Amino acid sequence: MGPAGAATSARTATASRLHAFNRFEIKYLVPQDQAEELRTELRRHMDDDAYSGDRGYPITSVYYDTARLKFYWEKIEGLRFRRKLRVRHYGTADDLTPESRVFVEIKQRVNRVTQKRRVVLPYRDALRLCSPEGYEPEGEVSPREAAFLDEVSTLVGELDLRPTVTTGYHREAWVGREADLGLRVTLDHRLRGRDRDFHLASESPDRLVLPARLSVLEIKADERVPAWVTDLTARMSLDVVRISKYCQSVQAFGLAPRSTMHAPDELDAVLGDCTPATDHTTEPTTPNGVVDASERKSVLVR
C-alpha cells in the first residue's frame, strides 16, 4: 500500500461511520506561479493536514444527478437550498478495491452555509446504496445513520439519480492552530473530469476542466475567516470565484449550457475565452456512459 492508500486507510479507520459538517466556504483561483508563495504564507499560520503531509493526496468523486440535471441547474440558478450526491475516494485508483472504504456524501447549501453529511462504506456497498438495487446494512446502525441511508435511497429512487460526471484532482490541505482551530484550507490542482465509465478506478482518460495553470483555493471556516487570511488573499490579488467542480465538469463536456438567466461571474471574467486543455479525448461508447458504468459495477458487486 502506497502513501495515499495508507492515508485513506487511516482516515476511514479512525472515523465514525457518519459525519456532519456546517461551515462557510470561500473559493479563489490561484495561478501556478503564486502557489509556492501561498504555501509558505499558509504554513506560517497553519499546520499540514495529517493526511496531506508535504505532497498532498488525490481525490476522485462521482456525482449523481437526474436525466435533466436537476442538481446542476439548482447550482447555476443559485437556489438558496440545494444539494448534490456523490461518492468520494481518497487515494489512487490502484488503492481501490470492492472492500475499500469510500464516502457517500450529501453536500447541501442552506443560504450561505455549506452543510455536508457523509457515511463511510465499502465501495461495493456505496455503489449499491446509490443505485436502484439498494443497500441493506448489516448489523445495527445508529438512528442518525439509518436516517441518512434512507435519505440517500429516497433521493436515488424518487429522482432516478444516475452517475453523471467524475471529477479528480490533487489536494494539499492545512488546518488551523490555536485561535484558528475551526479553519481548514485546501488547494486543489489539475482539475479533471470524465463523462463516462464512472468506476472510480477506471483507466479511461480524463480531461482537464480548468486550465492547468490554475488551482482552486478553498477557505473553510466554522464561524469566521481570520483577518490574516483575507489580508493574504488581498495582498496576492487572488480572485474570489463561485466555482463548482461538478458544474465545471458538466459544462466542459457539453452536457448542459450555462443558464440564460445566469449572470457572468468572477470565473467567467478570469477565464475569458480560455478553453481548458485536453489530456485525452475519446468518443463515448454510450450516450452518457451509464451503460458502461453499470457493466463495471456488476463485476464489482458480485
Side-chain angles (χ1 to χ4, degrees), residues 141-207:
V141 298
S142 70
R144 290 181 64 211
E145 182 179 343
F148 178 80
L149 296 175
D150 183 64
E151 181 180 358
V152 173
S153 297
T154 300
L155 278 175
V156 172
E158 292 186 352
L159 297 179
D160 188 24
L161 300 182
R162 73 281 307 276
T164 303
V165 293
T166 299
T167 66
Y169 45 89
H170 192 85
R171 167 165 287 180
E172 298 175 76
W174 297 268
V175 293
R177 62 168 79 111
E178 300 174 353
D180 298 331
L181 290 180
L183 178 66
R184 178 174 171 81
V185 175
T186 59
L187 186 63
D188 298 332
H189 309 279
R190 292 188 61 79
L191 272 64
R192 308 177 308 281
R194 190 168 65 244
D195 65 343
R196 67 208 70 165
D197 195 358
F198 300 110
H199 190 294
L200 288 176
S202 172
E203 296 181 357
S204 294
D206 289 333
R207 171 181 174 182

Side-chain angles (χ1 to χ4, degrees), residues 71 134 180 193 219 245 247 296:
F71 297 157
D180 298 331
I219 311 296
K245 299 181 179 75
C247 291
R296 283 186 169 271

Side-chain angles (χ1 to χ4, degrees), residues 39-141:
R39 291 187 191 97
T40 300
E41 290 297 320
L42 289 175
R43 284 173 175 150
R44 290 181 55 206
H45 301 272
M46 307 182 72
D47 297 322
D48 290 333
D49 179 274
Y51 307 108
S52 178
D54 294 331
R55 294 180 293 176
Y57 50 86
I59 297 177
T60 308
S61 305
V62 58
Y63 285 84
Y64 290 74
D65 209 334
T66 68
R68 295 191 175 185
L69 302 178
K70 171 183 171 64
F71 297 157
Y72 167 83
W73 287 113
E74 287 179 348
K75 164 64 177 177
I76 290 297
E77 305 304 342
L79 267 63
R80 293 194 173 189
F81 174 80
R82 56 184 185 267
R83 57 186 169 180
K84 54 195 172 198
L85 174 68
R86 67 191 180 200
V87 176
R88 170 163 289 187
H89 171 56
Y90 294 85
T92 66
D94 293 339
D95 299 324
L96 189 65
T97 70
E99 291 75 30
S100 295
R101 314 298 277 184
V102 300
F103 290 99
V104 178
E105 302 181 345
I106 292 177
K107 186 174 183 180
Q108 62 191 37
R109 183 73 173 254
V110 182
N111 294 320
R112 296 178 58 244
V113 178
T114 298
Q115 301 175 341
K116 184 165 69 174
R117 291 167 292 134
R118 64 187 189 182
V119 66
V120 58
L121 292 173
Y123 185 34
R124 176 190 285 118
D125 293 341
L127 289 180
R128 287 176 172 147
L129 175 62
C130 297
S131 75
E133 176 184 353
Y135 163 68
E136 290 295 333
E138 297 181 3
E140 294 186 8
V141 298

Side-chain angles (χ1 to χ4, degrees), residues 220-263:
K220 308 169 188 184
D222 293 339
E223 296 180 356
R224 63 176 183 84
V225 176
W228 69 262
V229 175
T230 55
D231 289 345
L232 171 62
T233 55
R235 189 169 67 252
M236 296 183 65
S237 301
L238 299 181
D239 296 293
V240 177
V241 292
R242 291 170 290 180
I243 182 173
S244 161
K245 299 181 179 75
Y246 169 60
C247 291
Q248 195 70 16
S249 294
V250 167
Q251 294 163 10
F253 289 101
L255 302 182
R258 304 279 302 233
S259 166
T260 56
M261 297 173 59
H262 172 75

